[in-house]
Amino acid sequence: MILQGKNELTVQEFLNLPTGEGDITYELVNGQAIPKIQAKFFHAKLTRVLLNLIEQSRVA
């Protein structure tokens, strides 16, 4: 579901859109709702490690 047209979406209109189907999520780029590319295994694992390190540093 890519929303295109002459009218650009505002942030509020984007937030009010119905949720995507399945695992597809969208991001707002230049007024358009664009499907986000899912992270590959390495990137997803790296993100988890970094988030864990940040969380541990906040507790200390």
Side-chain angles (χ1 to χ4, degrees):
M1 171 177 125
I2 298 178
L3 300 177
Q4 296 180 348
K6 296 180 182 178
N7 297 333
E8 293 184 349
L9 294 172
T10 65
V11 173
Q12 192 58 48
E13 290 170 332
F14 175 74
L15 294 174
N16 290 335
L17 290 175
T19 57
E21 297 175 13
D23 293 335
I24 300 173
T25 57
Y26 294 87
E27 59 186 334
L28 185 63
V29 179
N30 296 326
Q32 303 296 315
I34 307 294
K36 291 171 67 173
I37 298 172
Q38 292 186 355
K40 302 297 181 204
F41 176 77
F42 176 77
H43 183 262
K45 186 173 182 177
L46 179 61
T47 301
R48 261 181 292 175
V49 168
L50 290 172
L51 288 174
N52 285 336
L53 289 171
I54 292 169
E55 189 64 34
Q56 289 173 6
S57 70
R58 289 178 56 193
V59 173

